[in-house]
Amino acid sequence: MLMFSRNSLYFFFLALLVSNCVSAQKNFSIVNKTSKVTIVYDNNSTKLDSIVANLLAEDIERVTSVRPQTSSDIKKVSGDIIVIGSVQSSLIQKFIGKSAFHKKLEGKWECFGLTIIEKPFKNIPKAFVIAGSDARGTAYGVFTLSEKIGISPWYWWADVPAKQQKELSITQSDFISSSPSVKYRGIFINDEDWGLQPWAAKTLEPETGDIGPKTYAKVFELLLRLKANMIWPAMHPSTKAFFHYSGNVAVAEAYQIIIGSSHAEPMLRNNVDEWNEKTMGHFNYTTNKKGVYKYWEDRVRQSSNINAIYTIGMRGVHDSQMEGVKTPDEAVPLLEQIFKDQRQLLAKYVNKDVTSVPQVFTAYKEVLDIYDKGLKLPEDVTLVWPDDNYGYIQRLNNEKEQMRKGGAGVYYHASYWGRPHDYLWLPSIHPSLMREEMMKAYETGANRLWVLNVGDIKPAEYNIQMFMDMAYNATPFTDSRYPKQHLYNWISSLFGKENAQKIQSILWEYYQLAFQRKPEFMGWSQTEPNTKTSYTEFNHFYFGDEAQKRIDRYNEIENYAKDLWRKIDSRLRDAFFELVHYPVVGASEINKKFLYRDKAYFYSRQNRLSADDYAKMSKNAYDSIVKATEYYNNQLANGKWRNIMSMKPRNLSVYQPADLPELTIDSTFSWGIAPEGFVTKDSSLLQHHNSLSLPSFDNLNKQKYFVDIFLSKHQTLKWTASVSDDWIRLSQENGVLNPLLGSNQTRIWVDIYWDNMSKDEKDGKIIFSDGNNQIAVNVHVAKKTVKELAGYNGFIEDNGFISIQANHFTTQTNRSLIQWKGLDGFGYSDNVLQALPILLKTNLSIDPDSIKRNNAFVGYDFYTFSQATPSVVVFILPTQPVNNNFSVHYAISLDDGPLKIIDTRTFGRSEEWKQNVLRNRAERKTEMPTLNAGRHTLKIYAIDPGVILDEIRIDLGGLKKAYSAISETKMKL
């Protein structure tokens, strides 16, 4: 007997929404050995009541294999019942009347109540009542019960099965939900050309040959199960306009889903499909006002009796600038006239009180520039702020905008087509980034409307789930630690607790790696204009082989995912493939495709036989993506998802097999050595046998470096490695190389036995030999004894650089309105600092003297071993200013010297902005005065709210390039 479902953690946080309505828990049997409930709804109420009643019956059948009857006639039923409806319905009033329970729901937005009533009528022993404040509230209550018995909102869209139970009962106390945190919550189906449209047209509803009512019914059911209420329909050239099929509008009305349209589609029009320039003229309100006005009028008249949110304003036909104006200044008066004309239409056909008609204006791309020129937007219109298409919101409400009657919202991307590069294939928006940006929006009053661009829906399932959960109940997401817990809760509800922790770790690492570089960006190519792929910026020769470390991290989660897929309950296998296996394997293999390609090229320059192996491994990685995608489309769920998944959206160069260079290996010398830090263009490493050296070791950093020994010729080689001194330690002292894949090179790790070191500095050698030839690698060691470092806990120099994670400050001073606060699970370092609070009425001074006196700062102690003129490199996340009162300032000083104020704000689609969003980092390098050897302090001052510090590097003359975070240079005792 099921008492609590796997979703119990979800209900813990749902309970945060409960009003003061507490009662003892009661037990209610849904299916037992002798009986089953009947589901009763009011036939005189909305069609949605009938829909969700039957969906609930199906959900119970999925759990128990027993389908309850549904009825709209309370007089004809007996036994225990589940009764559903809004508080306005006569059916619900028969059970709860005008009770306190009723009063807590009446007049509310999308609320629901759950209660068990004993013996409400003679022939009904128990009634489980699901009462909604409105139709959607009722639906949310029904689907809350579905989740409680173990039905995932993704049961259909991700093939998540229910746990089977012969008997099914639940416990329930009286429960009243609060209204959702965000009033309008929904998705934008976009760039559907490679997934949703061909799947709908060819697989789900070939009778329509398009995304039609059958597809939208499934989409709308998902939205209601996720407690969302709105759709911006698909609108690409591949898809007919939403209103083209009358069934689309009918099914939206049946499911009570509010129809809106994107930033480029005013008045519910799909310009791409519905505006015909040949017959209608230019989409230009200056030269063709009559034609455009009639075009809008026809749609407003057609939509006057449906649930709709009207986008007002005007842009070009398809995500382009408005025709007929050349500058933002010219656009302002024209747009203001357009507002008046559009609102006249709404007043004429929808409601004379136009302020009661939901309307939005999205300040997307160039429209934000027009808005900032003083555009007068009607006060009742919701102002929607967009992100920059890569997860960073362009700006949010200032103090005046927070007071607007129409409120504000956010248009956010989990998928995007455009410059500098698309990400349409795999889900890659980091949960912590989404939380930080959307909660920042929520805190500043953008809580009227949230829309998520989801591309094809699949495979962005988790991004959608989290976004909608935040929109419905923002409270738990105010804690930066919650995304990890939320992901765990979600996985537990899908796959059970036994595998939840491992799957959560796999997916969290997946998002961490994608945050550093999205899978689609690994080709280092760009779009619009499209460019060829090039070599990555991951370093193969320093920092322990940064590129190989990334490969290793991907291999680990890929192997875990594949292993779990084989071992997991067969009923869960399809869901696991869709939600875990495919995105993890796809991301891993596209990374390896390029990183192996890089190794093939770089290792050919070092004359390694393994260069050919890496070329083959690069090709194999591509083939693995092909194989996984073919499985997704043709075998998964018995072909249910045929045509849904494309591994080549837009067929860009990044999705093709890697462009491998012609590889030539000189076998004159049969083997060679490559120590860490050694890069050569010479075909023979043996010619450099007197100059091969490892970076220096010291006892405070306790470094470990690698030396690779490899074949340059097809042969079997026995090798040995000996050391000149007993303080040199090797991970391996002999071995055999052969030409087989994986056997033609070996990596030996080198570190130092510090207890065997007697001098302050010493030089030694590692001698590699095949019995005939020898190659020596020089080893330099410095044993430092610095009395000043006794008890020191700060950062220290390591071969000419210092690396610091921002959240590992030595000192912190909070002495102003804005302070540095830690955010967990975020950034390259997984732990960052943000300047908070977000809400400030005025910007702080950027006068250096004032900043030094008044602003909060974090301090980082570091120690240098020689005089140097440093550069300080600060890495922050590329967030935008919170609003137009602020920028993205912070300030730094060394040893309380002169303050340097830095602003990382970018404008438009500059090259700097492009690089920032491609790597989720903004970088500023600041030259500082000369420092003597010894102890120093770097201070970073908070100025503007929202700035997020991730990593600091101090270049003392020895810093090498690294793409990802460098290990901190802290003293190792």
Side-chain angles (χ1 to χ4, degrees):
M1 183 177 292
L2 179 66
M3 304 300 290
F4 294 98
S5 80
R6 293 169 292 176
N7 300 310
S8 57
L9 282 169
Y10 166 81
F11 280 92
F12 170 78
F13 288 104
L14 188 62
L16 295 172
L17 292 169
V18 182
S19 304
N20 293 325
C21 186
V22 180
S23 65
Q25 287 194 337
K26 298 176 182 178
N27 188 68
F28 184 83
S29 176
I30 296 174
V31 173
N32 58 43
K33 292 178 181 179
T34 60
S35 65
K36 61 184 178 182
V37 298
T38 300
I39 301 170
V40 185
Y41 63 95
D42 188 346
N43 204 34
N44 294 320
S45 190
T46 65
K47 188 175 181 179
L48 183 57
D49 284 0
S50 171
I51 291 172
V52 298
N54 283 283
L55 287 172
L56 178 59
E58 293 173 8
D59 289 347
I60 293 169
E61 184 179 18
R62 289 184 182 96
V63 177
T64 65
S65 299
V66 175
R67 181 180 177 126
Q69 290 184 339
T70 60
S71 175
S72 60
D73 190 348
I74 188 65
K75 297 177 181 178
K76 294 182 179 180
V77 301
S78 60
D80 292 348
I81 66 170
I82 298 173
V83 58
I84 70 172
S86 71
V87 292
Q88 294 84 19
S89 76
S90 58
L91 175 64
I92 290 297
Q93 289 180 12
K94 288 179 180 178
F95 287 86
I96 64 173
K98 295 294 182 179
S99 63
F101 191 84
H102 177 282
K103 290 179 181 179
K104 288 184 177 182
L105 288 169
E106 191 173 27
K108 298 292 180 62
W109 176 263
E110 297 182 344
C111 293
F112 64 89
L114 307 175
T115 186
I116 295 173
I117 300 177
E118 305 276 356
K119 299 179 181 178
F121 300 107
K122 183 177 180 180
N123 60 333
I124 299 175
K126 279 187 182 181
F128 189 104
V129 179
I130 303 173
S133 63
D134 48 34
R136 283 190 297 272
T138 302
Y140 299 159
V142 169
F143 291 134
T144 295
L145 176 58
S146 291
E147 285 195 71
K148 197 169 185 181
I149 66 172
I151 301 297
S152 167
W154 298 97
Y155 81 94
W156 193 87
W157 278 96
D159 300 298
V160 180
K163 184 178 180 180
Q164 297 297 295
Q165 304 287 326
K166 290 183 178 180
E167 296 187 357
L168 179 63
S169 68
I170 57 171
T171 56
Q172 183 67 53
S173 57
D174 287 353
F175 173 89
I176 302 287
S177 77
S178 296
S179 290
S181 298
V182 177
K183 187 171 186 179
Y184 301 112
R185 313 164 307 283
I187 64 173
F188 178 23
I189 296 172
N190 193 214
D191 309 322
E192 68 274 9
D193 313 48
W194 301 275
L196 194 69
Q197 201 283 335
W199 168 77
K202 299 175 184 178
T203 306
L204 185 66
E205 53 178 321
E207 66 275 15
T208 306
D210 202 353
I211 300 175
K214 188 174 181 181
T215 305
Y216 276 117
K218 287 298 184 183
V219 172
F220 297 157
E221 180 191 339
L222 174 66
L223 290 178
L224 291 177
R225 287 181 183 271
L226 293 171
K227 297 182 175 61
N229 60 15
M230 186 183 65
I231 186 78
W232 286 2
M235 45 69 68
H236 257 228
S238 63
T239 311
K240 288 291 185 183
F242 186 79
F243 281 83
H244 178 84
Y245 305 103
S246 60
N248 287 349
V249 178
V251 78
E253 286 296 285
Y255 281 83
Q256 293 283 305
I257 295 298
I258 302 165
I259 303 169
S261 56
S262 77
H263 52 85
E265 302 173 286
M267 312 308 281
L268 299 183
R269 277 294 192 178
N270 179 332
N271 301 327
V272 173
D273 183 54
E274 296 181 311
W275 184 265
N276 188 326
E277 188 173 301
K278 290 182 179 179
T279 60
M280 301 166 75
H282 286 282
F283 194 61
N284 186 318
Y285 209 68
T286 300
T287 62
N288 190 19
K289 178 177 179 178
K290 184 177 179 180
V292 175
Y293 185 89
K294 183 179 183 304
Y295 172 70
W296 290 337
E297 184 178 29
D298 290 345
R299 179 52 43 78
V300 175
R301 185 190 297 113
Q302 181 185 9
S303 62
S304 60
N305 293 315
I306 67 173
N307 285 313
I309 295 178
Y310 291 88
T311 290
I312 68 170
M314 189 176 187
R315 294 188 70 215
V317 168
H318 187 182
D319 197 7
S320 58
Q321 297 185 24
M322 183 168 57
E323 293 183 34
V325 294
K326 296 180 180 178
T327 67
D329 288 311
E330 287 183 21
V332 169
L334 180 59
L335 265 181
E336 290 177 352
Q337 183 60 51
I338 288 170
F339 292 159
K340 291 178 182 178
D341 295 345
Q342 290 171 334
R343 285 162 67 82
Q344 284 175 357
L345 289 173
L346 296 175
K348 181 179 179 180
Y349 293 105
V350 182
N351 193 317
K352 290 181 180 179
D353 178 11
V354 73
T355 65
S356 67
V357 179
Q359 301 157 67
V360 300
F361 174 76
T362 304
Y364 185 69
K365 290 184 179 176
E366 80 288 344
V367 181
L368 181 58
D369 296 329
I370 299 170
Y371 175 79
D372 283 336
K373 287 293 183 179
L375 181 71
K376 294 178 182 177
L377 183 67
E379 278 293 303
D380 58 279
V381 175
T382 300
L383 175 56
V384 178
W385 301 111
D387 70 343
D388 62 357
N389 307 313
Y390 294 86
Y392 299 95
I393 299 174
Q394 291 280 63
R395 56 164 287 209
L396 291 162
N397 291 334
N398 57 31
E399 189 176 7
K400 182 179 178 181
E401 289 157 344
Q402 289 175 29
M403 306 301 294
R404 295 183 70 259
K405 178 183 175 182
V410 175
Y411 167 45
Y412 198 80
H413 285 77
S415 173
Y416 180 64
W417 164 342
R419 292 174 286 175
H421 202 287
D422 307 354
Y423 58 103
L424 302 171
W425 177 38
L426 298 178
S428 55
I429 291 294
H430 197 289
S432 290
L433 174 61
M434 185 185 286
R435 185 218 72 87
E436 183 272 332
E437 289 292 290
M438 295 311 299
M439 294 312 297
K440 184 166 64 179
Y442 186 75
E443 188 176 349
T444 57
N447 62 358
R448 185 66 58 89
L449 175 146
W450 285 9
V451 179
L452 182 67
N453 185 321
V454 301
D456 290 310
I457 297 179
K458 298 183 72 64
E461 294 94 340
Y462 179 64
N463 284 156
I464 298 170
Q465 178 78 53
M466 180 177 167
F467 188 89
M468 295 309 160
D469 284 353
M470 273 195 298
Y472 185 71
N473 178 16
T475 301
F477 292 92
T478 57
D479 188 337
S480 68
R481 297 168 295 183
Y482 186 60
K484 285 184 179 180
Q485 182 65 52
H486 181 270
L487 179 58
Y488 175 85
N489 296 348
W490 187 66
I491 291 165
S492 296
S493 73
L494 302 175
F495 303 114
K497 291 184 179 179
E498 59 271 20
N499 291 313
Q501 192 60 60
K502 181 172 281 189
I503 298 172
Q504 190 257 18
S505 298
I506 291 170
L507 287 179
W508 194 262
E509 178 76 342
Y510 166 86
Y511 284 114
Q512 282 292 101
L513 289 163
F515 185 77
Q516 292 183 11
R517 192 81 180 187
K518 292 181 186 295
E520 294 90 340
F521 301 169
M522 282 300 296
W524 258 256
S525 52
Q526 293 193 18
T527 61
E528 298 178 9
N530 295 343
T531 63
K532 293 181 178 180
T533 60
S534 60
Y535 296 105
T536 77
E537 292 178 11
F538 288 95
N539 199 319
H540 296 255
F541 306 109
Y542 285 96
F543 307 109
D545 192 344
E546 182 190 18
Q548 186 60 49
K549 287 180 178 179
R550 185 170 175 87
I551 291 169
D552 292 344
R553 290 173 69 181
Y554 266 117
N555 276 335
E556 183 175 22
I557 61 172
E558 180 179 359
N559 291 336
Y560 278 151
K562 288 179 175 178
D563 185 58
L564 271 174
W565 187 48
R566 288 189 292 267
K567 293 178 179 178
I568 204 164
D569 186 327
S570 60
R571 295 176 63 254
L572 297 170
R573 201 163 288 157
D574 288 344
F576 187 85
F577 185 89
E578 295 165 51
L579 301 175
V580 182
H581 185 284
Y582 184 80
V584 168
V585 170
S588 177
E589 296 297 335
I590 199 171
N591 269 265
K592 289 188 287 186
K593 180 179 77 173
F594 288 110
L595 294 173
Y596 286 153
R597 182 275 315 267
D598 292 359
K599 284 195 177 293
Y601 170 65
F602 291 128
Y603 287 178
S604 70
R605 293 172 62 186
Q606 291 187 334
N607 213 43
R608 300 196 196 194
L609 201 62
S610 63
D612 287 325
D613 294 342
Y614 283 107
K616 292 174 184 175
M617 290 161 68
S618 174
K619 183 182 183 303
N620 291 342
Y622 172 83
D623 293 341
S624 294
I625 299 171
V626 172
K627 183 178 179 181
T629 306
E630 287 179 346
Y631 180 88
Y632 204 125
N633 284 318
N634 298 316
Q635 298 180 55
L636 178 67
N638 296 317
K640 174 182 176 180
W641 299 111
R642 187 169 287 113
N643 303 304
I644 195 73
M645 184 56 61
S646 173
M647 59 174 280
K648 296 181 179 180
R650 278 227 279 177
N651 208 27
L652 299 174
S653 60
V654 69
Y655 301 119
Q656 308 304 324
D659 187 10
L660 291 162
E662 184 176 346
L663 304 177
T664 303
I665 308 300
D666 181 0
S667 60
T668 304
F669 296 94
S670 60
W671 61 282
I673 294 293
E676 180 163 350
F678 184 72
V679 185
T680 180
K681 296 181 181 179
D682 200 301
S683 63
S684 172
L685 291 180
L686 287 178
Q687 295 177 356
H688 297 269
H689 66 276
N690 291 320
S691 59
L692 295 177
S693 299
L694 285 167
S696 296
F697 296 83
D698 70 73
N699 59 309
L700 301 180
N701 285 286
K702 292 185 169 62
Q703 301 91 338
K704 180 183 287 188
Y705 301 117
F706 66 82
V707 180
D708 290 345
I709 178 170
F710 54 84
L711 291 178
S712 298
K713 185 178 182 179
H714 287 266
Q715 63 171 12
T716 297
L717 178 79
K718 292 183 178 180
W719 63 270
T720 60
S722 58
V723 296
S724 61
D725 299 273
D726 62 359
W727 42 262
I728 303 175
R729 178 164 50 190
L730 306 179
S731 64
Q732 187 176 346
E733 296 180 348
N734 59 75
V736 179
L737 300 179
N738 65 64
L740 297 177
L741 178 68
S743 299
N744 51 34
Q745 63 182 11
T746 295
R747 177 158 288 177
I748 298 98
W749 289 97
V750 183
D751 66 352
I752 304 301
Y753 281 115
W754 292 105
D755 290 343
N756 291 356
M757 278 283 297
S758 56
K759 296 183 178 180
D760 291 342
E761 293 200 25
K762 196 167 184 180
D763 292 316
K765 289 183 183 295
I766 308 169
I767 309 297
F768 290 88
S769 174
D770 66 354
N772 297 313
N773 299 301
Q774 292 184 347
I775 305 177
V777 177
N778 298 315
V779 178
H780 177 74
V781 178
K783 190 170 185 180
K784 302 178 184 295
T785 304
V786 183
K787 293 181 181 179
E788 191 179 353
L789 291 178
Y792 176 70
N793 194 34
F795 298 88
I796 58 173
E797 177 184 348
D798 178 357
N799 284 313
F801 74 93
I802 294 162
S803 175
I804 303 168
Q805 290 183 15
N807 202 35
H808 294 169
F809 47 83
T810 312
T811 58
Q812 182 175 25
T813 300
N814 294 328
R815 61 186 186 189
S816 65
L817 294 175
I818 191 164
Q819 302 170 4
W820 294 114
K821 299 288 187 180
L823 294 182
D824 291 332
F826 203 14
Y828 281 31
S829 59
D830 201 31
N831 205 320
V832 298
L833 292 178
Q834 185 172 33
L836 296 171
I838 292 297
L839 286 173
L840 288 179
K841 291 185 178 180
T842 57
N843 56 317
L844 300 177
S845 170
I846 57 171
D847 172 68
D849 291 337
S850 175
I851 291 170
K852 273 201 166 185
R853 286 195 309 270
N854 302 315
N855 286 38
F857 66 82
V858 282
Y860 304 91
D861 291 345
F862 64 94
Y863 198 95
T864 63
F865 299 115
S866 58
Q867 188 182 76
T869 302
S871 299
V872 175
V873 185
V874 177
F875 295 92
I876 72 169
L877 270 63
T879 54
Q880 300 289 339
V882 172
N883 59 49
N884 58 358
N885 290 328
F886 301 99
S887 192
V888 192
H889 290 106
Y890 62 90
I892 65 174
S893 73
L894 272 178
D895 297 337
D896 287 322
L899 204 68
K900 301 212 174 185
I901 300 172
I902 297 149
D903 190 357
T904 62
R905 183 178 184 179
T906 56
F907 295 89
R909 295 185 174 190
S910 65
E911 185 59 31
E912 181 184 10
W913 170 79
K914 290 178 182 178
Q915 294 306 317
N916 286 354
V917 296
L918 287 170
R919 61 182 180 169
N920 278 317
R921 268 193 160 184
E923 175 183 350
R924 279 292 187 274
K925 183 177 182 179
T926 306
E927 304 299 330
M928 304 300 286
T930 299
L931 297 178
N932 291 322
R935 188 167 176 169
H936 307 279
T937 300
L938 171 71
K939 291 180 180 178
I940 303 184
Y941 292 81
I943 301 176
D944 284 320
V947 177
I948 300 175
L949 300 178
D950 192 359
E951 184 186 4
I952 302 114
R953 299 175 191 170
I954 302 174
D955 186 1
L956 303 167
L959 182 64
K960 309 300 181 185
K961 287 186 177 181
Y963 181 87
S964 50
I966 299 174
S967 296
E968 289 185 300
T969 56
K970 293 209 77 170
M971 189 161 65
K972 299 177 178 65
L973 301 176

